[in-house]
Amino acid sequence: ITIMAAAARFFVRGAHPKLSFSGVCASAQRSLGAGLLKLSPSCASRTKTHKRHAAHFTFQPDPVPTQYGPTQKMNLFQSVTSALDNTLASDPTAVIFGEDVAFGGVFRCTVGLRDKYGKDRVFNTPLCEQGIVGFGIGVAVAGATAIAEIQFADYIYPAFDQIVNEAAKYRYRSGNMFDCGNLTIRAPWGCVGHGSLYHSQSPEAFFAHCPGLKIVIPRGPVQAKGLLLSCISDKNPCIFFEPKILYRAAVEQVPVDAYTIPLSQAEVLQEGSDVTLVAWGTQIHVMKEVANMAQEKLGVSCEVIDLQTILPWDIDTVCKSVAKTGRLLISHEAPVTGGFAAEISSTVQEECFLNLEAPISRVCGYDTPFPHIFEPFYIPDKWKCLEAIKKMINY
Amino acid sequence: MCIHLMFSPSNCIHFNALTKCDVHGLEEGPADTSVLTRDQGLGLYRSMQTIRCMEQHVDLLYRQKLILGPCHLYIGQEACAVGIEASIDKADHLITSYRSHGFSFTRGVSVREILAEITGRRGGVSKGRGGPMHMYAPNFYGGNGIVGSQVPLGAGVALACQYRGNDQICVAVYGDGAANQGQLFEAYNMAALWKLPIIFVCENNRYAKWTPMQRVSACTDLYKRADYIPGLRVDGMDVLCVREASKFAKDHCQSGKGPIILELQTYRFHRHGTADRHPSYRNEAEVQEYSNKDPISRLAGQVIHANMTSAQEFEEIDMEIRKEVEEASQFAITDQEPPLHDLCNYVYHNSPPLKIRGIHRWATLVSIGNTL
């Protein structure tokens, strides 16, 4: 019925009163709709690949936190809204800006904030990422808390110069006279199942190469709110990547009041003795499943670590774990060459060389642009990770 | 608007009193008359209606969950692509944004290849690898996902034309959202400095996704944005206006005068993208107002009123189009997906084939990158 209404709206009578074009494509749609539903038999059997597929992971919620006060059921975007709400309430200098944020944002992260706090504090910018970040740096340097939103991490590159050359180096080059620690940049990140080349990227590795920045990626709503609040209060420019596939899929009991989770502290989610699995963001949920599969199928005990802060990363926790287990597997969606797993791998082999029982394994995306139709084959899913564990155990 | 007609014996019509263009930086703009033959009229109609029908099928395919990737429909803006194509040659060059299905068709990609590309099959114009945004054809450089990125590219193409002295021009199409991108101003400056043969076309559909243009543009006269480049503001809902303005712009470029901006005032009847869920950033009254200016019914009305054809002939054309699009649609959902080994191809130009790393060190695929 919606389609018909839409069709009726699209097709109006032409200039000549005797004409009626409303019949034209409206009738086309009626017969087409019926035709399309009769898929060919060969199609029906291949539903897995050519329909938008189910997620490659199952979200596993954290236990309910008890130390931060009363909690409420929230998904990831609601937990982000909650963090921003707490910030705008407690910090009168805080402003939120980006493309389409006034309506609530394309992922609903800023819903209600403009109505609550005013249009001078939550406002839309034009479509100009370089301008948004440059402007944000200026706001931050002048003493206000700037929370800039880049609509998708894939679009952050026009701002790369501002982030790397200005934001990251402000404190260093001015001998601590100026800094833009009040700046936090938020961007949706990672694969989403149907994002294709420009709505799926994970660019953390590009920024990890830049001292002066902090990069944080949460695995769920509780972490997201705590880490985002830490980023906002942290006196360094922070980039907060939000796994977009988790915006609705991840639901947890999240504390209503403000709380912080420390940056640069990796979290050991599950202890184990045979293999250390390191990941961040969405991939953590894949790893948790891999750990269960390894235990059941291979009798291998895995220690799962969520890195959380990519830069500066918690070298001690990871190395301590590898010293115990002797094997390390790092996994991320971004392409393997030059991905952040490379940095972890290199550092760990320096620190734990004699502890290693097998070469460090990186299970990552292929060295290609993020593909369109090939996405299910591209992402490092649980089977590929399990395969890598098998090879490490049998090394 | 009143259409004054002059009947001439050669089965063509002179339309007087087209909506006049607003002009910037020029003594005068295009004439407000247009000469249209019966064949041209039917051709313009056919092109626009094909795009319309095709895009509606895409919407249906999307609802059937048969389309991956973000998909942006051209419904309502058909006059822009068709009007421009009517005034440039196949040898001229064109590049556009992600709302590319209309231009893909006008630049020569068949409906079949467009739909199969949208559903990600090997019969698609980009072999299923590009998806709804990234379609290409000779002298048509796509289909670009990043807003505004295509404009400096277009300036580069124009430089190549100038350098080769082949009298060709480039048309770089972007939207009102992209009009605020810094890289556009860099492109404007270079184009003006070097008098590049480029037409900058801004399809102003009044919304950058969900944000109304006037809320994010300090200057809403987008045709005046590059102060030192002449510009025209054109009724983008009238294919004849677009055609005349584009002809004028092409003449301007080819006579060595350098770049020109065309702001086509148009409207998309659909949402920004098929995945869009925003309830209501535009009001129904506005959508209805623009629906009443539907470019297809407008042209049809003009042509019938001029007695060049009948409503019945249009219905026959519509049936042919519908049949073509339905067949293409069936192909698009039954064709095979590209083979898995295609995942790694065409990363580089390379010979012999290159090993691509990925997943883990025991899994490599081989990448070929030679053009066939």
Side-chain angles (χ1 to χ4, degrees), chain A residues 21-225:
Chain A
F21 289 95
S22 54
V24 172
C25 267
S27 61
Q29 286 188 10
R30 273 196 290 272
S31 58
L32 168 71
L36 267 186
L37 290 169
K38 292 182 236 147
L39 294 178
S40 80
S42 56
C43 259
S45 63
R46 286 187 284 134
T47 50
K48 194 173 152 206
T49 47
H50 72 231
K51 287 215 171 192
R52 277 184 265 132
H53 55 88
H56 60 286
F57 67 97
T58 311
F59 174 73
Q60 304 190 32
D62 278 356
V64 180
T66 48
Q67 68 271 49
Y68 303 121
T71 64
Q72 190 183 312
K73 189 164 131 179
M74 293 186 208
N75 61 26
L76 186 69
F77 74 72
Q78 289 165 336
S79 71
V80 169
T81 315
S82 178
L84 297 175
D85 194 354
N86 293 144
T87 302
L88 289 168
S90 60
D91 178 351
T93 72
V95 285
I96 299 174
F97 49 92
E99 293 156 26
D100 298 309
V101 299
F103 292 103
V106 294
F107 291 108
R108 324 299 288 147
C109 294
T110 49
V111 169
L113 298 178
R114 184 180 168 99
D115 290 337
K116 195 166 169 187
Y117 295 102
K119 59 184 189 186
D120 56 330
R121 299 187 70 190
V122 180
F123 53 92
N124 283 346
T125 58
L127 215 167
C128 47
E129 290 75 17
Q130 183 173 21
I132 290 169
V133 172
F135 172 87
I137 293 170
V139 168
V141 170
T145 300
I147 304 165
E149 178 180 300
I150 298 290
Q151 197 161 89
F152 283 84
D154 315 53
Y155 310 156
I156 203 168
Y157 307 112
F160 194 78
D161 173 70
Q162 285 286 348
I163 295 171
V164 165
N165 274 334
E166 307 301 325
K169 297 172 167 65
Y170 227 119
R171 189 190 294 276
Y172 187 88
R173 71 188 183 203
S174 67
N176 209 29
M177 203 191 311
F178 285 99
D179 68 83
C180 56
N182 291 332
L183 174 66
T184 304
I185 300 168
R186 294 177 37 245
W189 168 100
C191 80
V192 69
H194 51 271
S196 199
L197 285 83
Y198 299 109
H199 295 77
S200 313
Q201 292 177 39
S202 313
E204 68 272 12
F206 294 112
F207 296 99
H209 193 54
C210 181
L213 296 177
K214 292 203 175 180
I215 305 167
V216 177
I217 306 178
R219 66 172 180 274
V222 173
Q223 305 302 307
K225 178 168 169 173

Side-chain angles (χ1 to χ4, degrees), chain A residues 56-60 277 279 281-293 304 331 333 379-385:
Chain A
H56 60 286
F57 67 97
T58 311
F59 174 73
Q60 304 190 32
L277 308 178
T282 317
Q283 200 66 7
I284 279 292
H285 303 287
V286 177
M287 292 311 225
K288 281 186 180 178
E289 224 177 314
V290 170
N292 289 342
M293 285 161 67
V304 179
S331 185
E333 292 163 18
I379 48 177
D381 61 26
K382 57 193 177 198
W383 303 109
K384 290 162 184 157
C385 293

